């Protein structure tokens, strides 16, 4: 039944609200929860008490939304959704809608539910099917009246959001201009005044090195590292058995040995640069760093099977003594001096290039000044540039360059001052724009609404000042 929900799709209204507005919070080792009905107070919001029953109702509505969005995937991975935060967000939005006297009629609720594909047979709403799905203990498990009131509140939230962020309307001329800007490819020529090269001609005294270290100690801070004990197996049942037999006081090696499994130990690694064995899922790595020494993970799916890990040891973030990193600090001093030496040279070169470009192309002018000219591959002004380095740093500066202004000012990069020149622009053809126009218009509107609503939600959260005191109990639903 839940697979039917997923395959038949969901209400675009609901999906838009969930995906754009109420940002889901994820964990990895959590468990799906229902809020304890016995809780008298769920917490405070806007300085006022929130009744536990009211919170439970909103929590159930939030859970209904998640099921409508994800179908059977909710019951497989629902433990990754922070429904408690979702619930507080719903309550905050409903409070704001109440202030604005936003209401939804019974007819609107009926129409919205009737339009949901998985409540239909042969394209028509089916009351029997609707009741079967909503009341099914393995799906929504709610009285239809409660489900409908949840849908009413969702429509109230939608009306609120539509009021705050109406559709962005762009005429075709402005739309085309933005499309061309986002989709044109540009090629840059540039001259880099390498700070490291200029720094080689400088010197650093012991006093300068110590002074730099004292001022910039945080620059040399080492990140936290952890080392893990772990077992890897292709047998999910075996991993589950091992997980059940492990206790906080048991020996990982001894328990694993009874199941003919070997415990391996990783080298120490940082969260930003995990060992390849664990790097396939950044969420897992983040949770490893939150574990306590000796703590075990549940069985975790890996590219080549299943893993159970134990935190063996942790080294907290620390700043090494100067004696341990003196050469590294010296290099930093020389690099800083290199930036200072390179900047006036770049300023002087910019003046000369500006004059030479009146009669010469950039490469000829720069080469004539004894400068080395490099060229980027073609890239989009708004494209995500996966590779780190100068292209990524040039991207923002290149936004200011066009057919009338091809030469940049001296710009700062992590490698030193640079001057860039717009060598080539390749605009998308009109046929491609016409083909993409409808989707592009929708995307721009969504981007605009998204940013407005994220800011709106952040402001409401700050004003609400939620203080939660929720008690939980595990939810045992399964599909």
């Amino acid at each position: 039944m839940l697979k039917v929900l997923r395959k038949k799709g969901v209400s675009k209204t609901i999906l838009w609200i969930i995906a754009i507005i109420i940002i889901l919070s994820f964990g990895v080792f959590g468990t799906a929860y229902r809020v304890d009905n016995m809780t008298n107070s769920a917490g405070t919001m806007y300085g006022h008490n929130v009744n536990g029953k009211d919170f439970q109702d909103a929590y159930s509505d939030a859970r209904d939304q998640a099921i409508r969005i994800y179908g059977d995937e909710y019951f497989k991975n629902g433990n990754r959704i922070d429904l408690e935060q979702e619930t507080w967000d719903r309550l905050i939005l409903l409070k704001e809608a109440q202030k604005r006297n936003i209401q939804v009629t019974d007819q609107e609720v009926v129409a919205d539910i009737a339009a949901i594909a998985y409540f239909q047979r042969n394209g028509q709403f089916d009351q029997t099917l609707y009741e079967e799905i909503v009341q099914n203990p393995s799906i929504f498990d709610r009285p239809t009246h409660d489900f409908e009131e949840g849908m009413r509140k969702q429509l109230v939230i939608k009306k609120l959001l539509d009021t705050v962020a109406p559709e962005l309307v762009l005429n075709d001329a402005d739309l085309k201009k933005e499309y061309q800007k986002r989709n044109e490819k540009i090629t840059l020529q540039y001259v880099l005044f390498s700070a490291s090269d200029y720094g080689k001609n400088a010197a650093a005294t012991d006093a300068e090195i110590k002074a730099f270290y004292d001022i910039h100690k945080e620059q040399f801070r080492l990140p936290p590292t952890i080392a893990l004990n772990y077992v890897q197996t292709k047998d999910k049942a075996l991993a589950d058995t091992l997980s059940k037999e492990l206790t906080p006081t048991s020996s990982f090696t001894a328990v694993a040995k009874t199941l003919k499994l070997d415990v391996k130990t990783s080298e120490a690694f940082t969260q930003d640069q995990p060992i390849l064995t664990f790097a396939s899922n950044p969420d897992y790595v983040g949770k490893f760093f939150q574990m306590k020494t000796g703590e075990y993970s549940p069985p975790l799916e890996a590219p080549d099977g299943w893993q159970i890990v134990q935190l063996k040891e942790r080294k907290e973030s620390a700043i090494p003594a100067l004696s341990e990193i003196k050469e590294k600090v010296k290099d930093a001093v020389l690099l800083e001096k290199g930036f200072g030496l390179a900047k006036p040279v770049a300023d002087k070169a910019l003046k000369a290039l500006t004059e030479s470009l009146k009669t010469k192309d950039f490469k000829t002018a720069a080469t004539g000044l004894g400068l080395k000219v490099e060229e980027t591959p073609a890239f989009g002004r708004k494209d995500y540039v996966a590779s780190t380095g100068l292209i990524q740093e040039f991207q923002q500066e290149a936004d200011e360059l066009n057919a009338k202004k091809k030469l940049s000012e001296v710009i700062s990069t992590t490698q030193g001052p640079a001057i860039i020149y717009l060598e080539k622009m390749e605009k998308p053809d009109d046929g491609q724009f016409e083909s993409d126009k409808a989707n592009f218009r929708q995307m721009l509107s969504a981007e605009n609404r998204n940013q407005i609503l994220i800011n709106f939600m952040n402001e409401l959260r700050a004003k609400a000042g939620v203080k939660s005191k929720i008690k939980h109990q595990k939810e045992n639903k399964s599909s």
Side-chain angles (χ1 to χ4, degrees), residues 160-192:
L160 169 65
L161 300 179
D162 285 345
T163 301
V164 172
E167 289 283 353
L168 175 69
V169 179
L170 283 178
N171 61 45
D172 282 1
D174 289 339
L175 190 71
K176 185 174 182 179
K177 184 177 179 180
E178 183 64 22
Y179 180 85
Q180 288 180 333
K181 184 175 182 180
R182 292 190 181 211
N183 289 278
E184 72 178 355
K185 300 292 184 181
I186 61 174
T187 302
L188 301 177
Q189 291 180 338
Y190 66 94
V191 174
L192 174 68

Side-chain angles (χ1 to χ4, degrees), residues 30 32 39 72 121 143 171 187 194 200 247 264 278 301 317 352 435:
T39 303
D72 62 330
R121 279 196 176 101
N171 61 45
T187 302
S194 172
K200 291 175 183 177
T247 68
K264 301 177 182 178
F278 313 105
E301 191 169 5
S317 174
S435 175

Side-chain angles (χ1 to χ4, degrees), residues 66-124:
I67 296 172
R68 290 197 294 270
I69 294 297
Y70 300 112
D72 62 330
E73 287 300 317
Y74 169 80
F75 293 97
K76 295 177 182 177
N77 299 302
N79 60 326
R80 301 182 66 197
I81 302 173
D82 187 348
L83 285 180
E84 183 180 329
Q85 181 60 52
E86 288 293 309
T87 303
W88 284 116
D89 285 346
R90 288 178 67 86
L91 290 171
I92 291 169
L93 288 166
L94 288 169
K95 184 69 173 178
E96 181 66 20
Q98 184 182 33
K99 290 179 183 177
R100 302 186 185 210
N101 197 31
I102 295 174
Q103 298 180 5
V104 168
T105 66
D106 291 347
Q107 290 78 9
E108 288 174 303
V109 176
V110 169
D112 200 61
I113 292 175
I116 297 175
Y118 50 76
F119 292 148
Q120 298 177 357
R121 279 196 176 101
N122 301 320
Q124 297 293 321

Side-chain angles (χ1 to χ4, degrees), residues 25 36 50 69 89 142 210 218 299 348 375 380 391 393 419 440 475:
S25 304
D36 189 344
V50 176
I69 294 297
D89 285 346
R142 299 194 77 185
K210 184 177 186 308
E218 283 298 324
K348 184 177 178 181
E375 185 169 297
I391 293 180
E393 296 184 58
I419 299 169
F440 185 67
E475 178 182 352

Side-chain angles (χ1 to χ4, degrees), residues 24-61:
L24 295 179
S25 304
F26 292 96
V28 178
F29 303 150
T31 304
Y33 289 104
R34 276 192 185 278
V35 180
D36 189 344
N37 278 316
M38 297 306 293
T39 303
N40 293 321
S41 173
T44 58
M45 186 177 80
Y46 293 105
H48 297 288
N49 180 64
V50 176
N51 180 273
K53 177 62 168 60
D54 292 341
F55 189 93
Q56 173 66 74
D57 290 343
Y59 183 95
S60 297
D61 293 341

